[in-house]
Amino acid sequence: ETQPQAKRARNVASHTSILELNVGGQTFSTTRDTLLAYPTSPYVKRLLNQHVDGDDDYQITGALLDAQGRIFIDRNPKLFEQVLEYLRSNFDAEQLTEQEKERLKKEALYYQLDGLIDLLRPPSTGYDERALSPDDQNLRQEANEIRAMLLAKSISAADADNILVD
């Protein structure tokens, strides 16, 4: 009953029309403007692929529709709810655990929402650890441990540098 049908065009009366989406079996209602709040998302642009059809009517041609004519997205509805909150500008990433942020970041990558990806990214430490080889990461970790040990012993920075160099 909720299985997607073949892709077909659907007329939408105006750019502010209410759209119904079937995301993983759960229905969401929103406006086209909300979905396009961040128009840099290629995914959303493809989903709402529009062709003006006279008198400001739009045809949605890039979406798969379910049996009831709702736009069908085969994704996790709980995560989509958070994505939709972000698009509505009511999103607070601080309330999420690190694990929830990681799961939502994967959804943001799927929907190609760069702003949400950036919001969920941990604060920058000044360099990207992934740019270092595993050996270099180990060396950096060892140096940090030695530095912490020396600082705990109240050794001056100059003496600590000399010890590390030797």
Side-chain angles (χ1 to χ4, degrees), residues 17-119:
S17 291
I18 295 173
L19 298 176
E20 287 196 348
L21 301 110
N22 172 350
V23 181
Q26 184 173 337
T27 302
F28 293 88
S29 296
T30 189
T31 65
R32 185 178 175 284
D33 284 350
T34 296
L35 290 179
L36 292 173
Y38 298 91
T40 58
S41 168
Y43 175 85
V44 175
K45 283 182 179 179
R46 275 193 316 276
L47 183 73
L48 298 179
N49 186 19
Q50 63 185 31
H51 300 299
V52 177
D53 190 24
D55 298 328
D56 277 339
D57 282 357
Y58 294 85
Q59 282 196 345
I60 297 176
T61 59
L64 187 63
L65 304 178
D66 70 8
Q68 287 74 37
R70 298 176 295 221
I71 295 172
F72 180 79
I73 303 172
D74 191 17
R75 300 298 289 181
N76 183 319
K78 291 178 183 170
L79 293 172
F80 182 78
E81 187 172 358
Q82 293 174 319
V83 169
L84 192 54
E85 285 303 307
Y86 166 75
L87 294 173
R88 290 174 174 155
S89 301
N90 296 327
F91 184 73
D92 180 15
E94 297 302 315
Q95 67 184 346
L96 301 175
T97 66
E98 290 306 312
Q99 183 180 9
E100 290 169 329
K101 286 180 184 179
E102 269 309 304
R103 289 183 69 211
L104 186 55
K105 189 165 60 169
K106 288 177 184 175
E107 284 300 286
L109 285 166
Y110 177 83
Y111 293 112
Q112 299 171 314
L113 294 167
D114 294 338
L116 182 55
I117 295 165
D118 291 341
L119 185 65

Side-chain angles (χ1 to χ4, degrees), residues 117-129:
I117 295 165
D118 291 341
L119 185 65
L120 296 168
R121 197 172 272 144
S124 175
T125 59
Y127 75 97
D128 186 356
E129 290 177 3

